[in-house]
Amino acid sequence: MWSWFGGPSAAKKKDLPKNAILTLRQQLEMLQKREAHLERQMEEQDAIARKNISSNKNAARAALKRKKQHEHSLNQTQAQVSQLEQQIYSIESANINYETLKAMENAGKAMKAIHGGMTMEKVDSTLEELREQHALGEEIGNAITSTPLGEPIDDEELELELDQMEQENLTTKMLETGQIPVTGEIGRIPSVPNGPVKGKAAAAREEDDEEAELRKLQAEMAMAI
């Protein structure tokens, strides 16, 4: 009964592949050492046979016989090594498949638990609530951005203030440079006279008189400041 609830028997079953692989690897290491030892023995007997091939054929024959025995043992050992390697590979593959299947089962249980409290009706209801709240947010945002805050600004008052600032700027330029601003800077064009056109000399004298008056006015304004 205890094994059904993950007791000692379940833990032992879980460790079984690990223990089997560990035992196989230990045996494989021992066989690989024996394999290397047999190869050295074969090389030694081959050297003895070659050394005595002319002087002592009996010794050479005995050495060659021992070499053949070592070679037979080596072939058996190599076959055993191959078998152990195949067993280790098979157990590892089977254990990986088992762990993969168990992980997939756990994933299925987790998804089932997650979806246990979910239905399409709940999903549709939640999405509908989200859409309603989004629409409400849009209406609130539009209402906030479309409603002006504070008193409206009088455009005529702005125009008067701009004209005053422009006049102050022109006066400052006149005092700093001593020159009359061009027509475009004072914002208006002199009116064309209705009478007959004067001669060049009279027009020149009139311009000189105007220049003199303006210079006088500038001097008086400078003294007043």
Side-chain angles (χ1 to χ4, degrees):
M1 289 295 293
W2 181 245
S3 62
W4 289 98
F5 297 96
S9 297
K12 185 177 180 181
K13 183 178 179 181
K14 182 178 180 181
D15 293 336
L16 185 61
K18 184 189 301 183
N19 294 333
I21 291 174
L22 180 62
T23 302
L24 288 172
R25 288 192 182 281
Q26 291 175 348
Q27 183 66 19
L28 179 63
E29 183 179 0
M30 186 272 293
L31 290 176
Q32 288 173 341
K33 290 180 179 179
R34 176 175 171 78
E35 183 180 5
H37 173 72
L38 291 172
E39 288 176 348
R40 288 193 299 270
Q41 290 294 323
M42 288 176 60
E43 292 175 356
E44 291 178 2
Q45 296 305 317
D46 183 77
I48 293 173
R50 292 177 182 278
K51 180 180 179 181
N52 295 287
I53 190 64
S54 299
S55 58
N56 191 347
K57 288 189 176 182
N58 290 330
R61 186 180 294 107
L64 188 59
K65 184 177 181 181
R66 289 191 294 270
K67 177 185 175 183
K68 293 293 184 181
Q69 292 173 346
H70 292 325
E71 184 177 2
H72 178 70
S73 298
L74 178 61
N75 291 333
Q76 290 181 337
T77 302
Q78 289 176 342
Q80 293 172 354
V81 167
S82 178
Q83 287 291 332
L84 289 181
E85 289 176 344
Q86 182 63 36
Q87 290 297 321
I88 292 173
Y89 174 79
S90 298
I91 293 175
E92 288 178 342
S93 298
N95 191 50
I96 290 174
N97 293 336
Y98 171 75
E99 294 295 337
T100 302
L101 179 60
K102 188 166 65 173
M104 293 174 67
E105 290 177 351
N106 292 333
K109 292 177 181 179
M111 292 182 66
K112 185 177 181 180
I114 293 171
H115 292 156
M118 297 176 63
T119 61
M120 289 306 301
E121 290 78 8
K122 289 184 178 181
V123 173
D124 293 338
S125 176
T126 301
L127 292 176
E128 183 62 27
E129 290 179 0
L130 288 174
R131 283 192 288 267
E132 291 177 357
Q133 293 301 318
H134 180 71
L136 178 60
E138 289 288 336
E139 293 178 2
I140 294 173
N142 293 333
I144 292 174
T145 55
S146 62
T147 303
L149 301 178
E151 297 181 357
I153 299 174
D154 189 356
D155 292 336
E156 293 183 1
E157 184 179 350
L158 285 177
E159 291 295 333
L160 290 175
E161 188 173 351
L162 286 173
D163 292 340
Q164 183 180 355
M165 291 175 63
E166 185 178 7
Q167 187 62 38
E168 291 176 358
N169 187 31
L170 291 174
T171 302
T172 302
K173 285 185 178 181
M174 289 172 61
L175 294 175
E176 290 178 352
T177 62
Q179 297 179 356
I180 302 173
V182 297
T183 305
E185 292 181 348
I186 63 177
R188 59 179 181 273
I189 301 174
S191 59
V192 179
N194 296 326
V197 180
K198 299 180 182 180
K200 291 184 178 181
R205 285 194 300 271
E206 186 176 349
E207 290 180 1
D208 292 339
D209 293 339
E210 290 178 356
E211 289 289 340
E213 272 186 52
L214 287 173
R215 291 194 189 95
K216 182 178 179 181
L217 178 60
Q218 290 175 0
E220 289 176 357
M221 290 176 66
M223 290 177 65
I225 293 175

PDB file of all heavy atoms in Angstrom, residues 144-162:
ATOM      1  N   ILE A 144     -13.028  64.639 -21.685  1.00  0.00           N
ATOM      2  CA  ILE A 144     -12.018  65.471 -21.018  1.00  0.00           C
ATOM      3  C   ILE A 144     -11.288  66.358 -22.011  1.00  0.00           C
ATOM      4  O   ILE A 144     -11.055  67.545 -21.774  1.00  0.00           O
ATOM      5  CB  ILE A 144     -11.026  64.570 -20.255  1.00  0.00           C
ATOM      6  CG1 ILE A 144     -11.740  63.901 -19.072  1.00  0.00           C
ATOM      7  CG2 ILE A 144      -9.827  65.360 -19.767  1.00  0.00           C
ATOM      8  CD1 ILE A 144     -10.895  62.890 -18.340  1.00  0.00           C
ATOM      9  N   THR A 145     -10.924  65.803 -23.165  1.00  0.00           N
ATOM     10  CA  THR A 145     -10.129  66.573 -24.130  1.00  0.00           C
ATOM     11  C   THR A 145     -10.956  67.580 -24.911  1.00  0.00           C
ATOM     12  O   THR A 145     -10.422  68.569 -25.416  1.00  0.00           O
ATOM     13  CB  THR A 145      -9.465  65.608 -25.124  1.00  0.00           C
ATOM     14  OG1 THR A 145     -10.465  64.782 -25.733  1.00  0.00           O
ATOM     15  CG2 THR A 145      -8.446  64.728 -24.403  1.00  0.00           C
ATOM     16  N   SER A 146     -12.283  67.373 -25.023  1.00  0.00           N
ATOM     17  CA  SER A 146     -13.094  68.290 -25.822  1.00  0.00           C
ATOM     18  C   SER A 146     -13.674  69.436 -25.005  1.00  0.00           C
ATOM     19  O   SER A 146     -14.181  70.399 -25.564  1.00  0.00           O
ATOM     20  CB  SER A 146     -14.250  67.519 -26.486  1.00  0.00           C
ATOM     21  OG  SER A 146     -15.106  66.946 -25.501  1.00  0.00           O
ATOM     22  N   THR A 147     -13.641  69.370 -23.697  1.00  0.00           N
ATOM     23  CA  THR A 147     -14.203  70.421 -22.850  1.00  0.00           C
ATOM     24  C   THR A 147     -13.121  71.422 -22.483  1.00  0.00           C
ATOM     25  O   THR A 147     -12.134  71.056 -21.828  1.00  0.00           O
ATOM     26  CB  THR A 147     -14.801  69.820 -21.571  1.00  0.00           C
ATOM     27  OG1 THR A 147     -15.778  68.855 -21.927  1.00  0.00           O
ATOM     28  CG2 THR A 147     -15.429  70.908 -20.709  1.00  0.00           C
ATOM     29  N   PRO A 148     -13.242  72.720 -22.881  1.00  0.00           N
ATOM     30  CA  PRO A 148     -12.220  73.708 -22.534  1.00  0.00           C
ATOM     31  C   PRO A 148     -12.262  74.039 -21.047  1.00  0.00           C
ATOM     32  O   PRO A 148     -13.332  74.108 -20.440  1.00  0.00           O
ATOM     33  CB  PRO A 148     -12.609  74.929 -23.385  1.00  0.00           C
ATOM     34  CG  PRO A 148     -14.072  74.773 -23.625  1.00  0.00           C
ATOM     35  CD  PRO A 148     -14.331  73.312 -23.694  1.00  0.00           C
ATOM     36  N   LEU A 149     -11.099  74.209 -20.466  1.00  0.00           N
ATOM     37  CA  LEU A 149     -10.981  74.543 -19.055  1.00  0.00           C
ATOM     38  C   LEU A 149     -10.679  76.025 -18.905  1.00  0.00           C
ATOM     39  O   LEU A 149      -9.867  76.580 -19.644  1.00  0.00           O
ATOM     40  CB  LEU A 149      -9.878  73.709 -18.392  1.00  0.00           C
ATOM     41  CG  LEU A 149     -10.075  72.184 -18.455  1.00  0.00           C
ATOM     42  CD1 LEU A 149      -8.889  71.483 -17.819  1.00  0.00           C
ATOM     43  CD2 LEU A 149     -11.366  71.779 -17.761  1.00  0.00           C
ATOM     44  N   GLY A 150     -11.330  76.721 -17.938  1.00  0.00           N
ATOM     45  CA  GLY A 150     -11.084  78.142 -17.723  1.00  0.00           C
ATOM     46  C   GLY A 150     -11.922  79.013 -18.645  1.00  0.00           C
ATOM     47  O   GLY A 150     -12.725  78.542 -19.454  1.00  0.00           O
ATOM     48  N   GLU A 151     -11.739  80.336 -18.544  1.00  0.00           N
ATOM     49  CA  GLU A 151     -12.494  81.277 -19.356  1.00  0.00           C
ATOM     50  C   GLU A 151     -11.922  81.336 -20.760  1.00  0.00           C
ATOM     51  O   GLU A 151     -10.715  81.213 -20.956  1.00  0.00           O
ATOM     52  CB  GLU A 151     -12.439  82.664 -18.714  1.00  0.00           C
ATOM     53  CG  GLU A 151     -13.094  82.708 -17.328  1.00  0.00           C
ATOM     54  CD  GLU A 151     -13.032  84.110 -16.739  1.00  0.00           C
ATOM     55  OE1 GLU A 151     -12.435  84.983 -17.405  1.00  0.00           O
ATOM     56  OE2 GLU A 151     -13.565  84.310 -15.638  1.00  0.00           O
ATOM     57  N   PRO A 152     -12.789  81.567 -21.783  1.00  0.00           N
ATOM     58  CA  PRO A 152     -12.278  81.687 -23.156  1.00  0.00           C
ATOM     59  C   PRO A 152     -11.449  82.950 -23.333  1.00  0.00           C
ATOM     60  O   PRO A 152     -11.684  83.973 -22.686  1.00  0.00           O
ATOM     61  CB  PRO A 152     -13.566  81.734 -24.001  1.00  0.00           C
ATOM     62  CG  PRO A 152     -14.629  82.210 -23.061  1.00  0.00           C
ATOM     63  CD  PRO A 152     -14.267  81.676 -21.719  1.00  0.00           C
ATOM     64  N   ILE A 153     -10.483  82.906 -24.223  1.00  0.00           N
ATOM     65  CA  ILE A 153      -9.580  84.042 -24.469  1.00  0.00           C
ATOM     66  C   ILE A 153     -10.197  84.957 -25.513  1.00  0.00           C
ATOM     67  O   ILE A 153     -10.687  84.510 -26.547  1.00  0.00           O
ATOM     68  CB  ILE A 153      -8.208  83.524 -24.941  1.00  0.00           C
ATOM     69  CG1 ILE A 153      -7.588  82.639 -23.840  1.00  0.00           C
ATOM     70  CG2 ILE A 153      -7.279  84.664 -25.277  1.00  0.00           C
ATOM     71  CD1 ILE A 153      -6.314  81.974 -24.255  1.00  0.00           C
ATOM     72  N   ASP A 154     -10.183  86.292 -25.230  1.00  0.00           N
ATOM     73  CA  ASP A 154     -10.740  87.292 -26.136  1.00  0.00           C
ATOM     74  C   ASP A 154      -9.735  87.574 -27.245  1.00  0.00           C
ATOM     75  O   ASP A 154      -8.620  88.046 -26.991  1.00  0.00           O
ATOM     76  CB  ASP A 154     -11.053  88.572 -25.357  1.00  0.00           C
ATOM     77  CG  ASP A 154     -11.832  89.568 -26.219  1.00  0.00           C
ATOM     78  OD1 ASP A 154     -12.031  89.263 -27.402  1.00  0.00           O
ATOM     79  OD2 ASP A 154     -12.214  90.630 -25.692  1.00  0.00           O
ATOM     80  N   ASP A 155     -10.121  87.294 -28.500  1.00  0.00           N
ATOM     81  CA  ASP A 155      -9.221  87.516 -29.631  1.00  0.00           C
ATOM     82  C   ASP A 155      -8.943  89.001 -29.851  1.00  0.00           C
ATOM     83  O   ASP A 155      -7.823  89.380 -30.239  1.00  0.00           O
ATOM     84  CB  ASP A 155      -9.828  86.914 -30.908  1.00  0.00           C
ATOM     85  CG  ASP A 155      -9.874  85.400 -30.828  1.00  0.00           C
ATOM     86  OD1 ASP A 155      -9.069  84.825 -30.056  1.00  0.00           O
ATOM     87  OD2 ASP A 155     -10.697  84.786 -31.543  1.00  0.00           O
ATOM     88  N   GLU A 156      -9.923  89.861 -29.646  1.00  0.00           N
ATOM     89  CA  GLU A 156      -9.700  91.305 -29.830  1.00  0.00           C
ATOM     90  C   GLU A 156      -8.676  91.831 -28.834  1.00  0.00           C
ATOM     91  O   GLU A 156      -7.818  92.657 -29.168  1.00  0.00           O
ATOM     92  CB  GLU A 156     -11.029  92.049 -29.680  1.00  0.00           C
ATOM     93  CG  GLU A 156     -12.037  91.732 -30.793  1.00  0.00           C
ATOM     94  CD  GLU A 156     -13.308  92.544 -30.631  1.00  0.00           C
ATOM     95  OE1 GLU A 156     -13.367  93.347 -29.668  1.00  0.00           O
ATOM     96  OE2 GLU A 156     -14.229  92.362 -31.444  1.00  0.00           O
ATOM     97  N   GLU A 157      -8.750  91.331 -27.617  1.00  0.00           N
ATOM     98  CA  GLU A 157      -7.780  91.752 -26.607  1.00  0.00           C
ATOM     99  C   GLU A 157      -6.378  91.321 -26.999  1.00  0.00           C
ATOM    100  O   GLU A 157      -5.395  92.057 -26.805  1.00  0.00           O
ATOM    101  CB  GLU A 157      -8.166  91.163 -25.257  1.00  0.00           C
ATOM    102  CG  GLU A 157      -7.280  91.619 -24.108  1.00  0.00           C
ATOM    103  CD  GLU A 157      -7.720  91.026 -22.784  1.00  0.00           C
ATOM    104  OE1 GLU A 157      -8.809  90.422 -22.739  1.00  0.00           O
ATOM    105  OE2 GLU A 157      -6.970  91.181 -21.800  1.00  0.00           O
ATOM    106  N   LEU A 158      -6.282  90.130 -27.571  1.00  0.00           N
ATOM    107  CA  LEU A 158      -4.971  89.660 -28.031  1.00  0.00           C
ATOM    108  C   LEU A 158      -4.431  90.550 -29.139  1.00  0.00           C
ATOM    109  O   LEU A 158      -3.227  90.882 -29.169  1.00  0.00           O
ATOM    110  CB  LEU A 158      -5.079  88.223 -28.539  1.00  0.00           C
ATOM    111  CG  LEU A 158      -5.201  87.123 -27.486  1.00  0.00           C
ATOM    112  CD1 LEU A 158      -5.367  85.772 -28.161  1.00  0.00           C
ATOM    113  CD2 LEU A 158      -3.957  87.104 -26.597  1.00  0.00           C
ATOM    114  N   GLU A 159      -5.288  90.931 -30.093  1.00  0.00           N
ATOM    115  CA  GLU A 159      -4.841  91.783 -31.194  1.00  0.00           C
ATOM    116  C   GLU A 159      -4.355  93.129 -30.688  1.00  0.00           C
ATOM    117  O   GLU A 159      -3.334  93.670 -31.144  1.00  0.00           O
ATOM    118  CB  GLU A 159      -5.981  91.974 -32.203  1.00  0.00           C
ATOM    119  CG  GLU A 159      -6.336  90.725 -32.992  1.00  0.00           C
ATOM    120  CD  GLU A 159      -5.204  90.275 -33.888  1.00  0.00           C
ATOM    121  OE1 GLU A 159      -4.388  91.132 -34.291  1.00  0.00           O
ATOM    122  OE2 GLU A 159      -5.110  89.072 -34.167  1.00  0.00           O
ATOM    123  N   LEU A 160      -5.086  93.746 -29.725  1.00  0.00           N
ATOM    124  CA  LEU A 160      -4.670  95.031 -29.162  1.00  0.00           C
ATOM    125  C   LEU A 160      -3.316  94.910 -28.459  1.00  0.00           C
ATOM    126  O   LEU A 160      -2.443  95.784 -28.600  1.00  0.00           O
ATOM    127  CB  LEU A 160      -5.735  95.531 -28.179  1.00  0.00           C
ATOM    128  CG  LEU A 160      -7.067  95.988 -28.807  1.00  0.00           C
ATOM    129  CD1 LEU A 160      -8.069  96.328 -27.706  1.00  0.00           C
ATOM    130  CD2 LEU A 160      -6.858  97.186 -29.725  1.00  0.00           C
ATOM    131  N   GLU A 161      -3.133  93.825 -27.737  1.00  0.00           N
ATOM    132  CA  GLU A 161      -1.857  93.639 -27.035  1.00  0.00           C
ATOM    133  C   GLU A 161      -0.715  93.433 -28.012  1.00  0.00           C
ATOM    134  O   GLU A 161       0.399  93.936 -27.821  1.00  0.00           O
ATOM    135  CB  GLU A 161      -1.971  92.444 -26.091  1.00  0.00           C
ATOM    136  CG  GLU A 161      -0.763  92.292 -25.182  1.00  0.00           C
ATOM    137  CD  GLU A 161      -0.966  91.206 -24.142  1.00  0.00           C
ATOM    138  OE1 GLU A 161      -2.099  90.706 -24.023  1.00  0.00           O
ATOM    139  OE2 GLU A 161       0.025  90.879 -23.446  1.00  0.00           O
ATOM    140  N   LEU A 162      -0.986  92.707 -29.111  1.00  0.00           N
ATOM    141  CA  LEU A 162       0.055  92.512 -30.129  1.00  0.00           C
ATOM    142  C   LEU A 162       0.427  93.836 -30.793  1.00  0.00           C
ATOM    143  O   LEU A 162       1.603  94.120 -31.058  1.00  0.00           O
ATOM    144  CB  LEU A 162      -0.427  91.515 -31.180  1.00  0.00           C
ATOM    145  CG  LEU A 162      -0.469  90.047 -30.746  1.00  0.00           C
ATOM    146  CD1 LEU A 162      -1.139  89.195 -31.823  1.00  0.00           C
ATOM    147  CD2 LEU A 162       0.937  89.535 -30.483  1.00  0.00           C
TER     148      LEU A 162
END
